[in-house]
């Protein structure tokens, strides 16, 4: 999915009460700033946490391919399903809970691989999770197709590099929205 601008996921009040969605005050996320102050936190994790604390927003462009792969859909953070139905591109609180849950399970499953999340470690976590489920063979074929589609023409994998803690903070943002009844407006 290509868009000219970057994608922001903005926490907004749900449901809207007028023509536009009202952004949630950053004060609802101020505690995320404490994460950025921890000395052991990776720089990308701190930067994400601080941005959430100051704005109530996630700059989501970097996470879109990963989230789509983890959740098995296209355009999750773009809220494309809602946009296709001529609705505003919004992820409702239940959708936020679904995104948070998928990220939380992934972060937990990635623990044995350490803090560096790469395409290869994502592949291993997903293969492990799928191989223990129902219809494992069918789902592994689906996963192989998805992984192949993410590779470039030369067969190189995407250059993902996230801190596991960064993805935990990302999950925390969507969990906070779900728990407090906020939605996410996909602004791009």
């Amino acid at each position: 999915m290509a868009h000219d601008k970057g994608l922001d996921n903005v926490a907004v009040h749900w449901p809207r009460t007028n023509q536009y969605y009202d952004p949630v005050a950053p004060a609802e996320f101020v505690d995320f700033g404490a994460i950025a102050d921890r000395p052991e936190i990776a720089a990308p994790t701190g930067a994400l946490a601080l941005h959430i604390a100051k704005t109530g927003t996630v700059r989501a462009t970097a996470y879109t391919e990963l989230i789509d792969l983890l959740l098995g859909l296209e355009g999750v953070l773009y809220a494309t399903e809602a946009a296709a139905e001529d609705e505003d591109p919004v992820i409702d609180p239940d959708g936020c809970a679904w995104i948070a849950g998928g990220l939380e399970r992934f972060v937990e499953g990635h623990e044995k691989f350490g803090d560096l999340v790469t395409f290869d470690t994502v592949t291993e976590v997903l293969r492990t999770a799928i191989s223990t489920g129902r219809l494992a063979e069918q789902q592994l074929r689906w996963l192989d197709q998805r992984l192949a589609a993410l590779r470039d023409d030369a067969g190189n994998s995407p250059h993902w590099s996230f801190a596991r803690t960064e993805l935990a903070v990302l999950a925390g943002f969507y969990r906070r929205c779900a728990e407090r009844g906020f939605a996410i407006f996909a602004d791009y």
Side-chain angles (χ1 to χ4, degrees), residues 124-135:
E124 289 304 314
V125 171
L126 290 176
R127 283 190 192 288
T128 301
I130 289 172
S131 65
T132 60
R134 291 183 37 195
L135 303 172

Side-chain angles (χ1 to χ4, degrees), residues 38-50:
R38 295 182 194 160
E40 75 280 0
I41 288 296
T45 304
L48 174 61
L50 193 58

Side-chain angles (χ1 to χ4, degrees), residues 2 24 37 40 44 61 76 78 83 87 99 102 116 130 132 142 144 150 153 164 185:
V24 171
D37 293 336
E40 75 280 0
T61 304
V76 172
Y78 284 96
E87 296 177 13
I99 293 168
L116 184 62
I130 289 172
T132 60
W142 170 86
D144 287 340
L150 290 171
D153 292 340
R164 191 173 70 90
F185 183 80

